[in-house]
Amino acid sequence: MSRRLRAVASALLFLALAGGGVGLAYVIDRVVFGGGNVSASATTAVVTVAPPPATTGGPPVREEPWPLFGGDLRRTNAPAGVALRPPFRKLWTLLAGSLLEFPPVIAYNRLYFGSNAGVLRAVDVLTGEVAWEKRFGRCIAASPAVSDGVLYQPLMDPAPCSQHDEQAPGFLVALDADTGKRLWRFRAGVDESPPLVARGMVFFGTWDGKVYALDAKTHKPVWTYQTGDKVKGGAAYARGTIYVGSYDGKLYALDAATGSLRWEAAATSGGDFYATPAVARGKVFAGSTDRNVYAFDAASGRLAWSHRTGGFVYSAVAAWKKTVYVGSYDGKLYALDADTGEERWTFDAGGEISGAAVVLAGIVYVSTLARKTFALEAKTGKQVWAFPDGQYTPLVADGERVYLTGYARVYGLEPR
């Protein structure tokens, strides 16, 4: 796609997503749940806020096959339009040289991804050959985002990052997606938040507890919002609102244009929100280190339900049709009713699950810290395929191939 066409697509994206009604109140839940599914009928404290500007709904818009972590602006990890199903055969393998904690993004017939050692690569989707690479000397633990020919990559503190310096600066760096030439960089706190580009702004969080909205053209802050602790996950966008979690145990809904607070909601058992939230069916879904998966009303912040697992939930949610899929450190993948939190099925993956599940063409994929990837029927949980590598979020896809992320390798696969 040419830069001119990308500019037109970006303008259409802005018009499509600039609106949609959201509610007038937020809820901070104050009840500690003991386990299982919990409704929101318990006592809550409600604070009225000013109504946001009128907005319009509509599905997420994607300019390229997989331009950001989660596949779309709502971070559903289940983007439409991919009909590929296993079994797959291997086309190529790329050795990354160090841990790959987050999956690639796909744009302009390339994969873009960074390694823990601070190497950012652009790779041809067909051959697996490296088009360009950049070495930053800083750890990378987040997927980049691509929009209008520009790649945005978060950078952490200097490698090897075995003992993180929380006071060290981090950066968001912008590069020409075609050549890898650095365009600019923005100094902030340590940054492992996969960025999101919407409404002409780049949204991300940092370890000093801030959420940033940078103007994509001037690369200057439009606004910042201070949470109570580290922001490690990414933001999700829907109906003019940014949703982001913090290590202060709260999920925040912020006006995308101004950064003003629309609502905040707390994990009821005192856990932290590491996982990037997902938005679907009028709800915001997020896992917590208190072992619960939460569903909050996207307009008001009211708790819709929570579901107890047997371990930490670092995994971001995949939302597909009427079901959400989420992994836990108890080694299970949970398929939950998106409206009620009722458990539909579970799959014992035989290893802790830290990355997000991904749903494509009715198949849900999940990887474990035991370095194995499974493909399951999304409706039943029946295993249909497995691959002997994987670690975190398993794969991304375009219309012809899937690209599986192993511990330190990326694989190009196509259906047999």
Side-chain angles (χ1 to χ4, degrees):
M1 182 181 290
S2 71
R3 288 179 179 268
R4 183 177 180 181
L5 289 177
R6 287 198 294 268
V8 173
S10 296
L12 293 175
L13 172 64
F14 175 83
L15 293 174
L17 294 178
V22 295
L24 310 180
Y26 72 81
V27 177
I28 303 175
D29 198 283
R30 302 184 181 280
V31 181
V32 177
F33 299 105
N37 304 326
V38 184
S39 72
S41 59
T43 302
T44 56
V46 180
V47 179
T48 302
V49 296
T55 52
T56 58
V61 176
R62 290 184 297 139
E63 183 183 349
E64 293 291 336
W66 207 295
L68 75 169
F69 175 71
D72 54 47
L73 295 175
R74 298 182 183 181
R75 309 281 199 179
T76 62
N77 286 293
V82 178
L84 308 175
R85 292 171 63 96
F88 299 108
R89 70 182 185 93
K90 190 188 306 180
L91 296 174
W92 51 261
T93 303
L94 175 70
L95 276 64
S98 66
L99 172 66
L100 300 172
E101 192 171 344
F102 271 73
V105 298
I106 310 173
Y108 321 131
N109 295 314
R110 288 176 176 172
L111 302 177
Y112 300 92
F113 59 93
S115 69
N116 187 67
V119 182
L120 177 65
R121 293 180 173 91
V123 174
D124 184 277
V125 296
L126 182 60
T127 65
E129 295 180 354
V130 176
W132 56 257
E133 69 176 40
K134 296 291 181 180
R135 296 178 179 270
F136 294 102
R138 291 174 172 271
C139 293
I140 295 176
S143 299
V146 180
S147 178
D148 197 26
V150 179
L151 180 137
Y152 303 91
Q153 178 64 61
L155 301 177
M156 300 182 68
D157 42 343
C161 305
S162 56
Q163 293 183 334
H164 287 291
D165 179 3
E166 297 185 10
Q167 304 303 316
F171 296 92
L172 181 74
V173 61
L175 303 99
D176 184 291
D178 185 33
T179 65
K181 177 183 177 181
R182 195 179 87 179
L183 303 176
W184 52 265
R185 71 175 187 174
F186 180 82
R187 177 173 173 148
V190 175
D191 187 2
E192 65 170 313
S193 171
L196 181 148
V197 186
R199 298 180 62 149
M201 290 184 282
V202 187
F203 303 92
F204 63 98
T206 53
W207 280 22
D208 55 6
K210 291 181 180 178
V211 181
Y212 287 89
L214 301 187
D215 185 293
K217 291 183 178 180
T218 68
H219 46 91
K220 295 181 179 179
V222 178
W223 55 259
T224 62
Y225 185 88
Q226 183 69 55
T227 74
D229 208 330
K230 299 180 183 70
V231 177
K232 293 190 174 186
Y237 174 93
R239 297 176 177 264
T241 303
I242 292 295
Y243 302 93
V244 64
S246 171
Y247 265 42
D248 63 6
K250 295 179 181 179
L251 187 71
Y252 293 85
L254 306 174
D255 184 287
T258 67
S260 61
L261 179 68
R262 291 186 171 173
W263 54 258
E264 63 183 40
T268 57
S269 298
D272 303 325
F273 284 111
Y274 166 79
T276 297
V279 186
R281 299 183 63 80
K283 297 180 179 63
V284 185
F285 304 96
S288 170
T289 59
D290 68 2
R291 304 188 175 201
N292 287 303
V293 183
Y294 291 95
F296 299 100
D297 182 89
S300 68
R302 181 183 62 86
L303 180 66
W305 53 261
S306 72
H307 186 95
R308 183 80 166 178
T309 76
F312 293 160
V313 184
Y314 284 173
S315 171
V317 166
W320 181 70
K321 295 187 175 181
K322 296 182 179 181
T323 307
V324 294
Y325 305 86
V326 63
S328 170
Y329 264 62
D330 65 5
K332 294 181 180 180
L333 179 71
Y334 292 79
L336 308 175
D337 185 287
D339 295 327
T340 67
E342 180 181 357
E343 195 172 288
R344 291 185 168 175
W345 53 260
T346 63
F347 175 78
D348 189 345
E352 297 169 327
I353 300 172
S354 183
V358 172
V359 183
L360 299 172
I363 301 293
V364 56
Y365 300 85
V366 64
S367 294
T368 72
L369 298 186
R371 302 189 188 180
K372 193 168 184 179
T373 299
F374 299 92
L376 317 169
E377 289 286 353
K379 291 184 177 179
T380 65
K382 178 183 177 182
Q383 182 178 332
V384 296
W385 185 73
F387 191 83
D389 200 357
Q391 184 84 353
Y392 296 101
T393 300
L395 52 78
V396 296
D398 53 26
E400 300 180 26
R401 289 166 291 276
V402 301
Y403 309 94
L404 191 145
T405 305
Y407 177 81
R409 291 176 170 85
V410 178
Y411 304 87
L413 310 173
E414 69 175 5
R416 289 179 182 170

